Amino acid sequence: MRIVPYAALHFMAYERYRCWILNNCPSLGTGPLVDLLAGSASGGTAVLCTYPLDLARTKLAFQVNSSDELSRALKRGSPQPAYGGIIDVFRCVYSEGGVRALYRGPTLMGILPYAGLKFYIYEGLKVHVPEDYRSSVTLKLSCGAAAGLFGQTLTYPLDVVRRQMQVQNQQQHEQFGAPRITGTFQGLVSIKQTQGWKQLFAGLSLNYIKVVPSVAIGFTAYDTMKHLLKIPPREKNKV
């Protein structure tokens, strides 16, 4: 429910924004800078349309439903509301803070650099691939993997802040005096001071296992579908 519309909007909006930039901002040229700007804008568009679903996914995944002793202790020490499903998450979150609560976290701050860097690196690497090998699936997968690797590494601390903002609640703040994260930069400083700078990269290696192949397959499938649908290469399109 989340990733299908997100990916569709992301790639569709990227092509539209790129065409608009080329038509209206010729001074920027046609190089990777255009891909960086179009990728960032398309990522922002896609995340604004699907972010509440990402919030619901995080909250449902964070729930402690096990009945063992450790889980019961966690429930007593850090009580979290029990959600019955996506609609229930939307209802509870909306009742806590209205529409703004559905977009809790560094919504655009986290996705703009990540989405932009993905397209910037992927398209930049493809330019250096010899013409005879540009249809190679292996090379497309390699370029996509590199884009996912570097993009995720450079922006991962923003993802950590977003996750912590999504799962924090008022009860933890009131009972334990834990600093409440209210913004991106404040969250980065707060996590560094209270949990250490290593926490900003906690889980990064595990995230590579998910993100790197996902981005590689996504870009490769995107280019492959353009070829199967007989969409002319962008070099042959008239701007």
Side-chain angles (χ1 to χ4, degrees), residues 6-220:
Y6 173 82
L9 285 168
H10 196 9
F11 286 112
M12 181 275 291
Y14 164 73
E15 293 291 349
R16 296 298 181 185
Y17 283 126
R18 188 178 190 278
C19 184
W20 185 89
I21 293 172
L22 291 176
N23 283 329
N24 295 276
C25 305
S27 60
L28 295 176
T30 60
L33 178 60
V34 176
D35 297 307
L36 177 67
L37 296 175
S40 297
S42 63
T45 301
V47 80
L48 283 175
C49 295
T50 60
Y51 189 82
L53 291 170
D54 183 68
L55 176 68
R57 178 184 65 117
T58 302
K59 285 187 171 293
L60 289 172
F62 186 73
Q63 285 190 136
V64 181
N65 291 320
S66 177
S67 59
D68 59 27
E69 184 176 347
L70 176 59
S71 296
R72 289 196 298 271
L74 285 173
K75 283 184 178 182
R76 291 193 300 269
S78 179
Q80 290 278 342
Y83 301 111
I86 296 176
I87 301 300
D88 192 36
V89 173
F90 289 161
R91 181 180 58 79
C92 293
V93 173
Y94 182 82
S95 65
E96 291 175 2
V99 175
R100 289 188 61 184
L102 293 173
Y103 287 87
R104 182 179 297 154
T107 311
L108 293 178
M109 186 67 71
I111 194 62
L112 291 182
Y114 174 61
L117 283 171
K118 280 196 308 182
F119 280 98
Y120 177 84
I121 296 172
Y122 179 71
E123 297 295 343
L125 290 175
K126 283 203 310 179
V127 170
H128 295 87
V129 175
E131 188 69 31
D132 296 339
Y133 297 96
R134 289 193 177 179
S135 60
S136 170
V137 173
T138 303
L139 279 176
K140 290 179 181 177
L141 285 171
S142 300
C143 293
L149 179 69
F150 287 106
Q152 183 69 187
T153 302
L154 295 173
T155 61
Y156 189 75
L158 298 175
D159 192 57
V160 172
V161 174
R162 175 170 62 91
R163 296 295 182 195
Q164 293 206 16
M165 287 186 72
Q166 286 177 337
V167 300
Q168 72 180 354
N169 59 34
Q170 188 65 28
Q171 290 173 317
Q172 289 175 316
H173 176 65
E174 292 176 351
Q175 292 183 8
F176 304 105
R180 188 170 182 81
I181 300 176
T182 58
T184 304
F185 296 109
Q186 180 264 344
L188 290 171
V189 174
S190 176
I191 293 173
K192 178 181 178 297
Q193 292 177 344
T194 60
Q195 304 174 43
W197 67 268
K198 290 185 178 180
Q199 184 63 29
L200 292 172
F201 293 92
L204 178 60
S205 58
L206 185 62
N207 214 45
Y208 284 151
I209 301 175
K210 176 180 77 78
V211 171
V212 172
S214 174
V215 174
I217 294 171
F219 275 121
T220 303

